[in-house]
């Protein structure tokens, strides 16, 4: 009877984690360049009742294990903004930015120029070119960003955006503020930069709301099962107590 409750509890814990993932997806439905996540589950078998005197083999119990979280790296919808500092990435590449924790990566192409003339992301992190942060002098106009990431202005060439890819995008990790961390980045060769546009989140709002309802119902079903098992155990204890009396 305790085994059934433990199995139900493992399912509830996994569903709670899944609800966190779904809620985070929905919360970022309007976040530029956001990539949704999905939780993968696997069956965890645990043998019980080990004894050589038993006539049958050990019975295995099936628990739920939330194994890992995967990133949906598919592209989001492209929206034209007309802002020359907005860029959308078509392909698997990331923009490289400089943070206090080191080089990080983002798909959010809503860029700006700060008071020092540095090209930055929405969090104020300098956007890196192949030679370091890209700088503009006061009064520069006609900023152009080519498909290969080359940046120019009325003052001439300013550098080229550092675009990187990863051999295994699933090895990257989120760090908040729409930033990613990863090891061994390589130069992006199949990523095209589109100036004057941004990439929207790839979250499917209707699908995520449907998933949230499904997870909530599954959680309630597991809670109901645990409650019934608890009632059965209480009844069994009461009956055994009456027999002993």
């Amino acid at each position: 009877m305790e085994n059934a409750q433990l199995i139900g509890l493992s399912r509830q814990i996994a569903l709670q984690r899944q609800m966190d993932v779904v809620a985070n997806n929905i919360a970022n439905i309007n976040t530029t360049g956001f990539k949704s996540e999905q939780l993968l589950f696997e069956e965890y078998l645990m043998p019980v009742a080990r004894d050589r005197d038993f006539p049958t083999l050990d019975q295995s119990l099936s628990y739920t294990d939330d194994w890992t979280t995967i990133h949906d790296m598919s592209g989001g919808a492209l929206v034209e903004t007309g802002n020359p500092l907005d860029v959308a990435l078509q392909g698997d590449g990331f923009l490289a930015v400089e943070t206090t924790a080191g080089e990080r990566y983002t798909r959010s192409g809503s860029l700006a120029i700060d008071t020092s003339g540095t090209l930055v992301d929405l969090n104020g992190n300098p956007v890196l070119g192949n030679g370091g942060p890209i700088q503009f002098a006061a009064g520069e106009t006609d900023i152009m960003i080519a498909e290969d990431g080359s940046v120019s202005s009325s003052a001439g060439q300013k550098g080229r955006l550092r675009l990187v890819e990863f051999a295994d995008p699933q090895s990257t990790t989120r760090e908040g503020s729409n930033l990613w961390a990863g090891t061994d980045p390589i130069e992006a060769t199949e990523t095209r930069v589109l100036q004057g546009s941004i990439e929207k989140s790839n979250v499917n709002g209707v699908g995520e709301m449907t998933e949230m309802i499904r997870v909530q119902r599954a959680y309630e079903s597991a809670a109901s099962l645990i409650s019934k098992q608890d009632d059965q155990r209480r009844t069994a204890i009461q009956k055994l107590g009456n027999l002993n009396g």
Side-chain angles (χ1 to χ4, degrees):
M1 206 171 291
E2 287 80 3
N3 288 333
Q5 289 181 310
L6 291 174
I7 291 172
L9 181 60
S10 76
R11 177 61 173 157
Q12 279 189 302
I13 293 173
L15 287 169
Q16 184 176 18
R17 170 66 179 137
Q18 188 175 15
M19 181 64 80
D20 291 340
V21 171
V22 173
N24 186 60
N25 287 341
I26 294 175
N28 287 281
I29 195 170
N30 292 317
T31 300
T32 302
F34 180 81
K35 301 301 180 183
S36 64
E37 293 180 315
Q38 298 177 3
L39 199 61
L40 292 184
F41 299 96
E42 69 174 356
E43 182 183 28
Y44 179 76
L45 296 177
M46 179 181 290
V48 297
R50 294 183 177 275
D51 195 296
R52 295 181 180 180
D53 295 333
F54 291 154
T56 58
L57 297 176
D58 294 345
Q59 179 186 6
S60 293
L61 301 180
S62 297
Y63 291 83
T64 303
D65 182 24
D66 49 329
W67 177 49
T68 189
T69 302
I70 62 172
H71 315 301
D72 178 3
M73 304 304 290
S74 61
L78 301 183
V79 177
E80 186 174 349
T81 65
N83 185 343
L85 295 179
D86 285 343
V87 293
L89 303 183
Q90 293 182 305
D92 297 329
F94 292 81
L95 292 168
V97 298
E98 186 179 81
T99 73
T100 55
E103 185 173 291
R104 294 295 183 267
Y105 312 98
T106 183
R107 293 280 298 190
S108 177
S110 296
L111 309 181
I113 298 176
D114 67 10
T115 54
S116 66
T118 304
L119 187 66
V120 297
D121 65 9
L122 289 182
N123 298 308
N125 300 310
V127 177
L128 294 175
N130 287 338
I134 296 177
Q135 299 281 340
F136 295 92
E140 289 188 35
T141 59
D142 301 328
I143 296 175
M144 300 294 294
I145 303 176
E147 289 188 357
D148 66 350
S150 298
V151 181
S152 63
S153 73
S154 57
Q157 290 295 320
K158 308 301 296 184
R160 184 168 175 266
L161 295 175
R162 174 166 158 74
L163 304 175
V164 302
E165 296 175 355
F166 296 91
D168 179 16
Q170 297 301 325
S171 66
T172 58
T173 56
R174 295 184 190 272
E175 290 204 344
S177 301
N178 217 1
L179 296 177
W180 299 74
T183 57
D184 301 324
I186 57 177
E187 182 180 357
T189 57
E190 301 297 328
T191 299
R192 187 166 69 96
V193 179
L194 185 62
Q195 184 182 21
S197 298
I198 58 173
E199 179 190 10
K200 302 291 287 183
S201 165
N202 69 351
V203 174
N204 182 331
V206 175
E208 293 296 332
M209 288 300 297
T210 302
E211 181 69 2
M212 177 175 282
I213 294 172
R214 187 195 69 80
V215 171
Q216 178 65 30
R217 290 178 176 174
Y219 187 92
E220 292 172 351
S221 177
S224 176
L225 174 63
I226 291 176
S227 178
K228 290 177 180 178
Q229 290 294 326
D230 190 53
D231 290 341
Q232 289 180 357
R233 183 175 60 177
R234 185 181 300 109
T235 301
I237 292 173
Q238 290 174 349
K239 289 183 176 180
L240 288 173
N242 292 334
L243 290 175
N244 291 334

